[in-house]
Amino acid sequence: MTVLVGYIPNPQGEAAFAAALSEAQRRNEDLLVLNSPREGAAVSAALAGEGAVEELLARASRSGVRAHIRQEPYTGELADRIVRVAQETDASVVVIGLRHRSPVGKLIMGSTAQRILLEADRPVLAVKA
């Protein structure tokens, strides 16, 4: 089994990675870090650089967890991508980071996290920074 974490290099992504690493240790499972930019984006703040990827893998290794990174671009909605990867890898849990949003922001913008929580067919651990 695998612990899947949706990772973006920001405080929410760091909180999600830390929680996922802890879950992988506790469950004695591998860790899959999904860090995918939107396909066709010339520049993406969501994509972790090579140094950041190496640091994530080193942190996992120091914790005794075998980690893998997937950075393939995605099309469509990120929530669909995360749910699909969770099914493909038979993830035991999906870990995501949450950011604060106003009620109006939630209404207008929708929520990737909310879709993952509602559509995933396995446990989802949502953490705040």
Side-chain angles (χ1 to χ4, degrees):
M1 300 286 286
T2 300
V3 173
L4 172 64
V5 59
Y7 177 80
I8 296 175
N10 63 18
Q12 293 80 22
E14 289 298 323
F17 179 81
L21 186 57
S22 178
E23 280 295 308
Q25 281 180 303
R26 187 176 69 77
R27 295 168 182 258
N28 195 29
E29 296 180 355
D30 289 355
L31 176 63
L32 175 58
V33 180
L34 182 61
N35 172 240
S36 298
R38 183 177 297 278
E39 187 170 41
V43 177
S44 176
L47 186 63
E50 187 176 323
V53 167
E54 289 174 3
E55 176 57 27
L56 293 174
L57 292 174
R59 285 170 57 191
S61 179
R62 286 191 302 268
S63 298
V65 173
R66 188 169 50 176
H68 310 278
I69 307 274
R70 284 179 62 173
Q71 289 186 303
E72 302 97 5
Y74 70 93
T75 57
E77 297 294 323
L78 181 56
D80 295 333
R81 169 86 169 141
I82 291 172
V83 169
R84 187 171 47 253
V85 170
Q87 292 168 341
E88 289 170 4
T89 61
D90 194 26
S92 60
V93 64
V94 177
V95 183
I96 58 173
L98 298 177
R99 62 185 168 100
H100 177 74
R101 295 179 56 186
S102 70
V104 172
K106 290 176 190 172
L107 178 65
I108 294 172
M109 299 294 284
S111 171
T112 298
Q114 182 176 352
R115 287 205 43 226
I116 294 167
L117 288 164
L118 294 173
E119 295 176 14
D121 61 353
R122 60 205 66 236
V124 177
L125 174 59
V127 298
K128 291 184 179 182

